[in-house]
């Protein structure tokens, strides 16, 4: 009865949001490791909830690529092998470049202003050492560019790529001791300016440069023998 009373006092949607947010944080912080079973009974007991909101939260994580459902085995934290990173970065680079080029073709001052708001929030998160804010605003920034591009297939593909790469971004921020240097966000400013000026070539160059920042950091970590720090 106590569990039911708690659920009555809290709207169902809020219960799902709370479970989702905590599980997502645990996955990004690697407190729940890749391949770990997301035990509905254990999670339900932790939150004092029935399994229904827990199951809905796991479905949301699955849609982001942070969890995966296995036949007859429930759900686990998605695996992301270091060997897959080159393919991941290739796909991300391609989508960054093509969406930036298309966005610049239809850009202008209003489009640039909307991107600048996201960039301002991103820089504030970086200065505050807010890793989750940096990840969230980086995702929002690139998806906003994809939406400007006007091709829903590109937007959907990019959303999937960015969702799968959230742990890569989390580790990137961690390598910088939670404070991403503002100069490493400068490619976003170049993208904004190129879209303001409707300069597709400049947008392409800035998008490519932006896509290489995390890739090069990961490569340096692996080359220096610190791949364990980057293990997902």
């Amino acid at each position: 009865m106590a569990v039911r009373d708690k659920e009555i006092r809290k709207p169902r949607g809020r219960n799902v949001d709370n479970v989702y947010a905590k599980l997502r944080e645990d996955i990004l912080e690697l407190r729940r490791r890749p391949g770990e079973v997301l035990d509905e009974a254990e999670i339900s007991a932790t939150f004092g909830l029935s399994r229904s909101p827990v199951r809905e939260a796991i479905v949301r994580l699955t849609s982001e690529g942070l969890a995966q459902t296995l036949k007859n085995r429930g759900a686990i934290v998605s695996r992301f092998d270091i060997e897959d990173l080159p393919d991941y970065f290739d796909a991300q680079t391609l989508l960054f470049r093509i969406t930036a080029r298309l966005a610049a073709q239809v850009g202008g001052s209003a489009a640039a202003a909307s991107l600048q708001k996201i960039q301002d929030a991103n820089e504030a998160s970086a200065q505050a050492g807010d890793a989750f804010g940096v990840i969230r605003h980086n995702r929002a920034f690139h998806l906003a560019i994809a939406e400007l591009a006007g091709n829903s297939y590109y937007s959907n593909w990019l959303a999937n790529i960015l969702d799968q790469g959230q742990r890569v971004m989390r580790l990137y921020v961690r390598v910088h001791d939670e404070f991403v240097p503002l100069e490493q966000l400068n490619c976003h400013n170049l993208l904004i300016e190129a879209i303001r000026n409707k300069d597709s070539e400049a947008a392409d160059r800035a998008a490519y440069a932006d896509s290489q920042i995390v890739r090069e950091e990961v490569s340096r970590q692996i080359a220096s023998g610190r791949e364990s720090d980057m293990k997902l």
Side-chain angles (χ1 to χ4, degrees):
M1 181 64 69
V3 170
R4 290 183 178 276
D5 288 343
K6 287 181 182 178
E7 291 195 49
I8 289 172
R9 287 197 296 270
K10 285 187 176 182
R12 179 188 180 87
R14 188 179 304 168
N15 287 332
V16 175
D17 290 343
N18 290 340
V19 176
Y20 160 77
K22 183 63 171 96
L23 290 178
R24 180 176 180 274
E25 178 182 321
D26 285 348
I27 292 171
L28 292 181
E29 290 288 359
L30 303 181
R31 290 192 287 265
R32 291 185 181 268
R33 306 294 296 183
E36 180 179 331
V37 174
L38 293 172
D39 187 323
E40 290 183 9
E42 172 258 311
I43 297 169
S44 297
T46 298
F47 284 89
L49 300 171
S50 67
R51 290 196 181 192
S52 183
V54 171
R55 194 171 296 122
E56 288 183 41
I58 291 174
V59 167
R60 286 175 62 177
L61 292 167
T62 301
S63 72
E64 286 190 21
L66 292 177
Q68 62 184 108
T69 303
L70 301 180
K71 187 175 182 181
N72 300 323
R73 287 183 56 194
I76 64 170
V77 177
S78 294
R79 295 183 176 90
F80 198 140
D81 295 329
I82 199 167
E83 291 81 6
D84 295 332
L85 287 174
D87 289 345
Y88 166 79
F89 285 123
D90 283 347
Q92 183 189 72
T93 298
L94 176 66
L95 288 168
F96 276 13
R97 293 180 68 183
I98 196 168
T99 55
R101 289 187 71 92
L102 292 173
Q105 292 176 13
V106 296
S109 297
S114 66
L115 292 173
Q116 189 62 58
K117 289 181 181 178
I118 302 173
Q119 175 65 355
D120 290 344
N122 197 11
E123 291 182 358
S125 292
Q127 289 179 314
D130 177 5
F132 294 109
V134 171
I135 294 169
R136 182 174 67 256
H137 296 308
N138 181 73
R139 180 183 187 278
F141 182 83
H142 288 291
L143 283 182
I145 290 175
E147 288 167 6
L148 285 172
N151 186 311
S152 62
Y153 288 98
Y154 291 150
S155 297
N156 291 336
W157 291 338
L158 184 56
N160 182 259
I161 287 290
L162 292 170
D163 286 341
Q164 291 187 46
Q166 288 180 91
R167 284 174 288 182
V168 179
M169 276 297 297
R170 179 67 191 99
L171 290 170
Y172 167 72
V173 176
R174 185 178 295 167
V175 164
H176 289 281
D177 297 321
E178 309 299 333
F179 287 92
V180 176
L182 286 182
E183 60 267 22
Q184 296 204 9
L185 298 177
N186 190 49
C187 289
H188 286 191
N189 294 320
L190 295 176
L191 270 165
I192 292 169
E193 192 61 23
I195 289 171
R196 187 193 316 278
N197 296 331
K198 298 188 177 183
D199 186 338
S200 293
E201 293 299 325
D204 189 347
R205 290 193 298 272
Y208 175 78
D210 189 35
S211 72
Q212 300 308 295
I213 293 173
V214 176
R215 183 175 200 155
E216 290 173 359
E217 184 66 71
V218 171
S219 298
R220 280 195 294 271
Q221 294 294 317
I222 294 173
S224 65
R226 295 178 61 192
E227 62 268 20
S228 61
D229 293 343
M230 307 300 294
K231 188 175 181 181
L232 302 175

